[in-house]
Amino acid sequence: MKINSHLTTRRFRPLLPLLAGAMGLLASCVVSEEDRMMRKDAPTNEIQMNFVVSRAGLQQIDGVRMTPNILLMTQQQADNFDNPPADYLSTDDAYTHLVEVLGKINDYYKMTYNTGVEYASNGETYVARGYAPAVVLAPKATDRGAFDYRELTLSSEAVSGGKLPLGRMDFLSLDADPAYWGNKEDKFGQERNRLYFRHLTAQVLFVAQRDQSMVDMQYVRDVVLSNIRVCYYDGTGAAPTATDAGWMPFSVPQKLNWLPDQAQAQNQASIHGYKVTEMQDLPDDFSIRTTGHTQLTVGRDVAVDSLFVNVRTSRTAATDILNTPAGKGVFLKMDVSALLSHLDKFPMDTQRTNEENGLTHTMQWKDVIVPVHEVGTTNPVKSIETGKRYKITLVFGRHNLYLDAVLMEWKDGGVHDYVFRPGTNEGDS
C-alpha cells in the first residue's frame, strides 16, 4: 500500500496550521501505526527506514505524538534544497515524497518503518531530509501555493490553550552532513545509514524526593516550580543575588531554517540540517508541577517535569539567539511550593486555609538559587547547550529544602525519564 507516493509541491498542504487539521492528516492515511510496525508483507521495492533520536526517545504530550516528517528527494532536489537557485519552487518537482511518520521515532530504532513509497524503477537515489515535531511546525507558504520546507514556523494555534505547552516539546533535526540516502540497489534501513535525529534544545529535568529525616514523619506532594530563571554569572561575588540583573527566562524555538553550512550538531561529527533562527521566551507565569497528587518517596527520584529549552543571552528581538558562555558559571533560580502533611492521606480541615491546616499545610520557598556543575565534580557549567541534559534535584527535609543541579549524560537510544504536565488545572487527583 502506498501513501503520498507521488506528491509534488503543488499538491502539498500546510502540515499543521491547526492542531485538529494535523491530526486529520494523520487519520486520513490508509495504513495505521500498527500496520507500519507489524506488516511483514511489504513490497521488496518499498522504502524502509530505521531511525533514532540521538540521546533520547521522543515522547507524546496529552496523547498527541511528537512525530517527524521526512522529505524524500532526488539528488538534484537535495542540492537545490541545500543551496536553492533563484527560481527555487518555480516548478512542481521540488520534493518527490512527503512521509508522515506514524508512531514515535524510537519505535523504529531496531524494526523498520515502511514508508509506503517505492524506490524509483530507474535506480534513482533518494536523499532524506527531516524534522520533528511535525505537529507544531508549519512550512512557509509561497504566493503560488507551494510550501517551502526550508523554513518552519511554530504554529501558535497548535500550542494555544496548553494543549501542546511551550517548553515541553523536543525539537529535532535530521542530519544534513552526513546526508542519508538510498536506492534500489543500496537501500535505506541498513545499519550504516540509519537516520539520526538530533536535538535543537537542551533538556532540563526536574526531580524531587524526601530525605531520610522524613520517614514516617512528613509526606510531600503537589510540588510546584515557578518563576524559573537562569543566570550566566560573571560578577564579583560567589553567586548572583535574587535581584541580580542577569536573570533570564528560558527560551524555546520559534522558527527553524535549513542551514546545513551553519548548523553544527552537538557531537561535532555531524551537521544538523535545521537550525533554530528565532526564539521566544517562556512567559513570566510559566510553571511546572508534579502530576496530580503524586507523593514523593524517600531517597528515590520522582519526576516533576522536563523542559526542552534554549538560552539566549540577548533577547531584544526574536532573532537574537546568541548563547554567550558565562564567565564564572550558570545558576538557576526558582520559587518552590509543596503540600506537606504528617499523615499520608493529607487530611484537610475545610474550616481552615491550606497554609494553616493543622496536620496539612503548604510550604513555600522564594528565590531558591542553585549553581549548575558537572556530575561527579565541582566544575561549574558555563552554558546550557543543546543536546545535553541538566538534572535538578529537590530534596525535602524536616527543616529545609536542598537542591542540586548537574550536567549529566543523555544516552543514545534511551528514553526520557520524565512526565508531561500540560495545563494548570490545580484540581487534578
Side-chain angles (χ1 to χ4, degrees), residues 214-282:
M214 304 283 269
V215 174
D216 296 329
M217 297 296 293
Q218 277 192 315
Y219 301 88
V220 184
R221 74 180 191 191
D222 298 348
V223 177
V224 180
L225 308 180
S226 57
N227 193 29
I228 302 171
R229 296 290 188 270
V230 59
C231 179
Y232 280 26
Y233 188 58
D234 194 24
T236 57
T241 65
T243 58
D244 194 293
W247 292 106
M248 306 173 287
F250 282 111
S251 300
V252 293
Q254 184 173 352
K255 181 179 288 186
L256 310 182
N257 285 91
W258 184 266
L259 298 170
D261 58 334
Q262 301 178 32
Q264 186 69 42
Q266 62 267 6
N267 67 354
Q268 303 299 307
S270 301
I271 295 178
H272 291 301
Y274 287 99
K275 178 180 180 179
V276 179
T277 53
E278 292 186 18
M279 298 180 188
Q280 60 178 291
D281 295 339
L282 291 177

Side-chain angles (χ1 to χ4, degrees), residues 8-10 12 71-97 127 129 139-152 257-258 260 274:
T8 66
T9 311
R10 184 187 298 275
F12 281 177
L71 298 163
L72 291 177
M73 311 173 180
T74 66
Q75 185 61 62
Q76 183 58 55
Q77 289 169 346
D79 291 342
N80 291 343
F81 199 74
D82 292 350
N83 300 286
D87 60 347
Y88 186 68
L89 289 177
S90 63
T91 63
D92 287 337
D93 61 352
Y95 318 101
T96 302
H97 302 285
V127 178
R129 300 285 185 247
K140 179 181 179 181
T142 67
D143 56 8
R144 58 179 298 275
F147 294 95
D148 187 351
Y149 284 83
R150 294 174 303 121
E151 180 173 303
L152 307 169
N257 285 91
W258 184 266
Y274 287 99

Side-chain angles (χ1 to χ4, degrees), residues 321-383:
I321 59 172
L322 289 179
N323 181 20
T324 305
K328 286 191 173 180
V330 172
F331 291 77
L332 298 180
K333 181 182 74 169
M334 67 200 76
D335 296 339
V336 181
S337 71
L339 195 64
L340 278 68
S341 181
H342 293 288
L343 297 177
D344 62 358
K345 299 298 184 182
F346 288 79
M348 301 292 287
D349 184 345
T350 58
Q351 302 302 313
R352 300 185 181 186
T353 65
N354 286 353
E355 290 75 14
E356 300 175 351
N357 214 293
L359 294 175
T360 300
H361 60 283
T362 298
M363 286 290 293
Q364 295 181 326
W365 296 263
K366 293 286 188 180
D367 294 329
V368 179
I369 297 175
V370 58
V372 185
H373 59 92
E374 297 176 6
V375 65
T377 75
T378 58
N379 299 333
V381 167
K382 298 298 182 68
S383 64

